Amino acid sequence: CPSLKLREVASMYFTMVAAFLVILVVALQGSVPRGSDFPYKVPLDPQGLLELSWNVSYPEQAVNFQLLIRDLQFGLLFGMSDRGEFENADLAVLWSDGHNSYFGDAWSDAKGQLHMDSQQDYQLLGARRAPEGLYLLFRRAFSTCDPKDYVIEDGTVHLIYGILEKPVHSLQAINVSALHGGLQRVQLLKPNISIPQLPRDMKTMEITAPDVVIPSQETTYWCYMAELPEGFPKHHIIMYEPVVTAGNEALVHHMEVFQCAAEFDSFPHYNGPCDSKMKPDRLNYCRHVLAAWAMGAQAFYYPEEAGLAFGGPGSSRYLRLEIHYHNPLVFKGRRDSSGIRLYYTATLRPFDAGIMELGLVYTPVMAIPPGEDNFILTGYCTDKCTQLALPAAGIRIFASQLHTHLAGRKVVTVLSRDGREQQVVNADRHYSPHFQEIRMLKEVVAVFPGDELITTCTYNTEDRSRATVGGFGILEEMCVNYVHYYPQTQLELCKSAVDPGYLHRYFNLVNRFNDEEICMCPQVSVPQQFYSIPWNTFNRDVLKSLYSFAPISMHCNKSSAVRFPGEWEKQPLPSITERLRERIPRCPPAPEPHPAAPIPLNLGQLRR
């Protein structure tokens, strides 16, 4: 009957609609990650009252956040900014008037005033109470195409937080300057790397502080000397991870293990502050990095085909552990036995991993004038050096550690071939000298003979009254990328500096065009000549021009600090004919304009 067929069609239709609704509900439930789905974790505040966990979805180009608030008062600000400021920040805000709670995406202007964002890109996924506190789950896309939003990139991200201790009746009523807040630096976009299988004969060794009392001051660098057993044969380090004393997770900022120079038969034992006058000078020869960890980082794995050699002939038995304690609340009497656990094997892998220094030589001829907000210096590893020193099959870079001193703001290393930039090796456009770690690269970078590796550092000296020269001192500057690669070669340092003769011509030119006399006497050091320069616009611009065209002195050095044979002075700067194009984010169609509104949350009445 026709009526029967109609009923059948109607039944099928409503069955399909019901099935679609079930699928939709399941999909929506599945969009809220579970607690076990957040592999990365970091405390935001020194007391550990705020704990951030997150995961990264590269297919969706988004970060999922889980924020645990152990002691919820009247709300919280969480967000990102260029250097950790509360001005010009991109924020997710939870606030309460004492009865009702709200969540919204906001931004702050140059004066710190909060505004509701017309484009709500912090997507609330859920909120739940637990015995340990309130869990707030939300999502944020890497790039939103909203001019008020922060673009989440590879490298360092400055996270900021502020705790609301009193009820507020509106977002605009929040006084940012009166908040109890702070910042935490992390690498949000962790590489999606599969964990290699570990060998059965793997052993572990812990290099840890011997139950030290953390000094009751904001910043301490603690040094402890350890040593390998007598006659310890060659092994490969294949993995390492942090060992952090329970309760000190918010105080242990970063840690490094250095191997000492093999030229010394012994090193004195030491356990104390690294800047103490009691520290033996010989400890300064313990500078070969074996492991480095910073807050928020997880275990570091070497590729299956390579390991970092330690032990055996030509390798020092002495190791130096350095721990940076960040104790802004000046806790007293806190004891610590943190350090790094090394995983190693006697079954050597096919390749020894090596560490190569790229960038600028530690020399005062590379200088930054005072009062600069964006001064650039560039170091080169030239095609001539890689042609001579690298094997025909090339090398594979799998990790990198960027390094400057206090004025550094950005570091980028680019691979160039035949004058054309090929790919970025590592880049940190929000670099901080207070957050340095060895980072595994998202993809291995192949470098062949004749390639060039160009490292560019950007500095800010607005708070300085005299020139900043290159050197080892903390108020001097560096521009370095320690790349971890395999197979190990004899090339340990591939760096450059401006030709000294051309710098001397610069000093003569400045002396001729300025009323003040600048002594060019041979006994006057390069730093003193830089310090005596009157830094007007002309002198600044000429120095920038000098660094952009003058020939360079190349340091193409073996591990013995001896250069490879060849002519390395007055070398021409590499010629780059084709630059990498900057990626332009795809922007979805702009939504119809509508008033932005916060999302009400049922959290009950918050405490008074």
Side-chain angles (χ1 to χ4, degrees):
C1 300
S3 58
L4 181 62
K5 290 182 179 179
L6 183 61
R7 285 198 299 271
E8 289 176 350
V9 171
S11 176
M12 291 173 62
Y13 172 79
F14 287 112
T15 301
M16 291 172 64
V17 170
F20 172 78
L21 290 174
V22 170
I23 293 171
L24 181 62
V25 170
V26 171
L28 289 173
Q29 289 176 341
S31 67
V32 181
R34 297 166 299 178
S36 59
D37 292 336
F38 298 94
Y40 314 115
K41 183 188 299 183
V42 66
L44 288 182
D45 67 310
Q47 293 176 289
L49 298 177
L50 303 172
E51 183 178 279
L52 180 72
S53 305
W54 75 96
N55 65 41
V56 182
S57 173
Y58 284 102
E60 297 176 346
Q61 294 284 285
V63 181
N64 295 306
F65 295 101
Q66 176 181 267
L67 185 57
L68 169 59
I69 309 169
R70 298 186 190 278
D71 186 22
L72 179 63
Q73 299 185 38
F74 291 96
L76 179 83
L77 277 70
F78 167 84
M80 297 166 269
S81 66
D82 182 41
R83 311 295 311 174
E85 317 90 344
F86 275 90
E87 297 77 27
N88 299 315
D90 177 15
L91 300 163
V93 186
L94 172 68
W95 77 95
S96 171
D97 58 11
H99 302 281
N100 302 305
S101 300
Y102 304 92
F103 177 90
D105 182 345
W107 58 276
S108 62
D109 58 27
K111 296 182 180 180
Q113 177 65 47
L114 296 189
H115 306 269
M116 183 66 67
D117 202 329
S118 60
Q119 187 174 313
Q120 293 287 296
D121 293 306
Y122 280 105
Q123 301 173 11
L124 182 65
L125 301 179
R128 62 183 176 87
R129 286 191 178 273
E132 60 271 26
L134 173 72
Y135 284 94
L136 198 64
L137 290 86
F138 50 96
R139 170 180 292 193
R140 170 68 153 69
F142 296 173
S143 177
T144 65
C145 300
D146 181 345
K148 300 299 184 184
D149 283 356
Y150 180 96
V151 178
I152 302 175
E153 301 176 299
D154 292 332
T156 302
V157 177
H158 291 72
L159 303 176
I160 56 176
Y161 67 90
I163 298 172
L164 299 179
E165 298 175 326
K166 297 179 180 179
V168 291
H169 296 283
S170 68
L171 179 78
Q172 290 72 23
I174 297 174
N175 182 4
V176 170
S177 62
L179 295 180
H180 168 65
L183 76 94
Q184 183 63 278
R185 301 176 182 92
V186 300
Q187 181 196 19
L188 279 181
L189 302 188
K190 302 289 188 181
N192 187 16
I193 296 174
S194 58
I195 297 175
Q197 188 172 359
L198 300 176
R200 293 181 179 178
D201 68 342
M202 180 183 66
K203 296 180 180 179
T204 63
M205 175 187 300
E206 292 189 359
I207 313 296
T208 56
D211 194 32
V212 305
V213 177
I214 300 175
S216 53
Q217 59 191 34
E218 181 172 347
T219 301
T220 300
Y221 284 84
W222 193 271
C223 284
Y224 170 68
M225 291 296 294
E227 59 183 283
L228 301 175
E230 191 83 41
F232 187 76
K234 179 180 178 180
H235 289 76
H236 271 166
I237 297 173
I238 55 176
M239 169 192 168
Y240 61 82
E241 65 182 357
V243 179
V244 180
T245 299
N248 292 346
E249 292 84 357
L251 301 181
V252 179
H253 187 270
H254 70 259
M255 303 180 284
E256 292 184 276
V257 175
F258 301 90
Q259 190 169 35
C260 300
E263 61 196 79
F264 297 101
D265 293 331
S266 64
F267 281 80
H269 290 283
Y270 181 73
N271 180 37
C274 300
D275 59 355
S276 170
K277 294 180 180 179
M278 302 300 292
K279 189 190 80 171
D281 291 339
R282 186 169 288 190
L283 269 62
N284 296 327
Y285 291 90
C286 304
R287 300 178 57 178
H288 177 67
V289 178
L290 287 185
W293 172 87
M295 190 179 286
Q298 286 195 311
F300 182 93
Y301 294 87
Y302 280 84
E304 288 183 340
E305 58 271 26
L308 185 64
F310 80 133
S315 176
S316 175
R317 294 195 303 113
Y318 295 90
L319 309 176
R320 176 168 65 89
L321 171 68
E322 181 176 302
I323 303 179
H324 173 199
Y325 293 112
H326 181 58
N327 185 13
L329 299 182
V330 195
F331 292 120
K332 295 182 179 180
R334 191 74 69 87
R335 308 192 79 89
D336 186 70
S337 298
S338 298
I340 289 180
R341 182 181 296 118
L342 304 175
Y343 292 75
Y344 62 97
T345 175
T347 306
L348 301 182
R349 291 180 166 182
F351 301 111
D352 284 350
I355 301 173
M356 186 191 307
E357 288 189 39
L358 307 175
L360 288 172
V361 181
Y362 309 130
T363 169
V365 302
M366 306 301 297
I368 307 130
E372 293 284 344
D373 67 336
N374 194 39
F375 196 87
I376 294 173
L377 295 177
T378 301
Y380 301 91
C381 177
T382 62
D383 55 352
K384 183 176 178 180
C385 182
T386 61
Q387 186 70 54
L388 184 66
L390 296 188
I395 60 172
R396 305 293 184 268
I397 299 175
F398 61 89
S400 163
Q401 182 183 20
L402 306 174
H403 178 75
T404 75
H405 284 173
L406 299 179
R409 295 295 182 270
K410 182 192 299 184
V411 187
V412 180
T413 297
V414 174
L415 169 69
S416 174
R417 184 173 298 143
D418 299 325
R420 294 187 292 271
E421 292 183 345
Q422 301 294 309
Q423 67 184 111
V424 174
V425 177
N426 193 7
D428 196 337
R429 292 175 175 82
H430 299 275
Y431 172 86
S432 169
H434 305 292
F435 184 65
Q436 302 181 39
E437 60 181 349
I438 302 173
R439 291 176 179 166
M440 293 179 281
L441 303 183
K442 289 182 178 177
E443 58 183 48
V444 173
V445 178
V447 183
F448 296 100
D451 287 352
E452 295 162 332
L453 292 160
I454 302 172
T455 301
T456 301
C457 293
T458 304
Y459 302 93
N460 183 296
T461 57
E462 290 180 298
D463 61 344
R464 301 190 181 187
S465 58
R466 71 175 190 176
T468 300
V469 299
F472 291 96
I474 193 63
L475 293 179
E476 297 172 330
E477 266 309 330
M478 293 183 174
C479 177
V480 188
N481 184 354
Y482 300 97
V483 292
H484 295 244
Y485 72 96
Y486 68 90
Q488 186 178 31
T489 69
Q490 286 188 301
L491 181 60
E492 188 163 291
L493 184 147
C494 191
K495 302 163 81 173
S496 70
V498 71
D499 177 73
Y502 275 74
L503 181 64
H504 186 71
R505 295 181 190 180
Y506 167 76
F507 288 139
N508 282 329
L509 179 69
V510 168
N511 194 32
R512 191 185 312 167
F513 279 84
N514 288 276
D515 295 333
E516 301 177 40
E517 282 289 316
I518 302 170
C519 183
M520 296 292 113
C521 318
Q523 67 269 25
V524 176
S525 66
V526 169
Q528 287 302 323
Q529 293 183 66
F530 271 121
Y531 299 154
S532 65
I533 290 177
W535 289 107
N536 53 43
T537 303
F538 174 81
N539 294 342
R540 294 172 188 271
D541 290 344
V542 174
L543 183 63
K544 291 179 185 178
S545 179
L546 173 80
Y547 288 147
S548 67
F549 79 84
I552 54 176
S553 170
M554 264 304 302
H555 288 241
C556 185
N557 293 7
K558 301 179 181 180
S559 56
S560 59
V562 176
R563 294 186 190 184
F564 280 83
E567 179 55 50
W568 301 110
E569 300 301 330
K570 291 184 170 56
Q571 296 297 295
L573 290 179
S575 175
I576 304 300
T577 59
E578 186 177 315
R579 302 281 181 183
L580 284 172
R581 294 182 180 179
E582 288 205 18
R583 294 180 180 177
I584 300 174
R586 295 180 181 177
C587 297
E592 292 294 325
H594 59 276
I599 299 174
L601 288 178
N602 183 16
L603 300 179
Q605 184 169 342
L606 301 186
R607 74 178 194 183
R608 290 188 176 274

